[in-house]
Amino acid sequence: MLLFQDAANEVVMGESVSEEKTLSVIDLIVNGGAGSIIIIAILGILLFVALYIYFERIFAIKAASKIDKNFMNQIKDHVTNGKLDAARMLCAQTDSPVARLTEKGISRIGKPLDDINTAIENAGTLEVYKLEKNVSVLATVAGAAPMIGFLGTVIGMILAFHEMASAGGQAEMGSLASGIYTAMTTTVAGLVVGIIAYIGYNHLVNRTGKVVHAMEANAVDFLDLLNEPL
């Protein structure tokens, strides 16, 4: 009989322990109080903004990086044969930063080479600005999200110790521990959002750099074309 009673007690204790350890993310957020819910909501908004900017920019950069390998060869043929209107039309039909830079250079043919180079550089600056649109927001989210999450944790710990002080030091450790680890979920959420935004920002910077390099290479090819004897 004692063996059966011990086994039953172990089963009951095991069930209670498993029930105590089972806690969903939603429970952590809800049990954190109004402050935790507000902080998590702000972090959720920041995560949505970061993901939206990342995917919007990645598609824009992908479209800008599509360059026809025969584009510069066709431009060279048109310019060499004096068909500047055909070269401009080809640039207008090609939706890419390289084509817009080339069109800017073609429109300056006949002027000093320094003027053509300056016009291409100015157009390139504008194209880079378009590629980097809203990318800095990702950097802001990457830096602000962990701090916002840590702020939520600090507020939660302040409230927990305030409860201890109000209880005259007789507050239950279980309730204090529950409040503290629940409040720390905001730090975890902030770090997750910050890491996602940081990785997205660096990936966009890397992709943008490749497009800028292609723009510079094609600009150099175009200037070399103008220096070649006709």
Side-chain angles (χ1 to χ4, degrees):
M1 291 294 293
L2 292 176
L3 292 175
F4 286 111
Q5 289 179 355
D6 292 339
N9 291 332
E10 290 179 358
V11 172
V12 173
M13 291 177 63
E15 291 179 352
S16 62
V17 170
S18 62
E19 290 178 356
E20 290 178 357
K21 291 184 177 180
T22 302
L23 190 62
S24 65
V25 176
I26 297 177
D27 292 334
L28 286 173
I29 297 174
V30 174
N31 294 335
S36 176
I37 294 175
I38 293 173
I39 295 295
I40 294 295
I42 294 173
L43 292 173
I45 294 173
L46 292 178
L47 177 61
F48 173 79
V49 171
L51 292 176
Y52 174 80
I53 292 175
Y54 172 76
F55 286 107
E56 188 272 334
R57 284 292 87 197
I58 201 68
F59 288 126
I61 294 172
K62 185 178 180 180
S65 62
K66 292 181 178 179
I67 303 174
D68 186 1
K69 295 181 179 179
N70 295 323
F71 174 77
M72 288 306 298
N73 293 330
Q74 294 175 344
I75 292 293
K76 182 177 180 179
D77 292 338
H78 290 320
V79 173
T80 302
N81 296 324
K83 299 178 180 179
L84 300 183
D85 292 336
R88 291 194 191 95
M89 185 176 296
L90 177 61
C91 292
Q93 293 174 350
T94 305
D95 185 15
S96 69
V98 171
R100 288 188 284 271
L101 262 63
T102 304
E103 183 179 10
K104 182 65 66 175
I106 293 173
S107 65
R108 296 295 192 276
I109 289 179
K111 296 183 178 180
L113 192 60
D114 291 339
D115 293 345
I116 299 176
N117 188 24
T118 301
I120 293 176
E121 288 181 353
N122 293 335
T125 301
L126 181 60
E127 293 297 331
V128 172
Y129 175 78
K130 292 179 181 179
L131 291 174
E132 295 178 346
K133 180 182 177 182
N134 294 328
V135 174
S136 60
V137 177
L138 282 179
T140 302
V141 172
M147 291 189 291
I148 293 174
F150 184 67
L151 175 63
T153 297
V154 172
I155 292 174
M157 295 184 68
I158 290 174
L159 294 176
F161 285 110
H162 178 266
E163 181 181 351
M164 178 186 294
S166 301
Q170 300 299 322
E172 296 182 359
M173 292 302 298
S175 62
L176 290 176
S178 176
I180 291 173
Y181 77 70
T182 301
M184 291 184 70
T185 56
T186 59
T187 293
V188 175
L191 289 173
V192 170
V193 175
I195 290 171
I196 293 174
Y198 182 76
I199 294 174
Y201 171 78
N202 282 280
H203 184 237
L204 290 179
V205 169
N206 184 41
R207 292 292 298 272
T208 302
K210 292 181 179 179
V211 177
V212 172
H213 177 73
M215 291 166 53
E216 293 175 347
N218 282 274
V220 171
D221 290 341
F222 179 76
L223 293 175
D224 290 341
L225 170 62
L226 298 182
N227 285 325
E228 292 179 1
L230 297 177

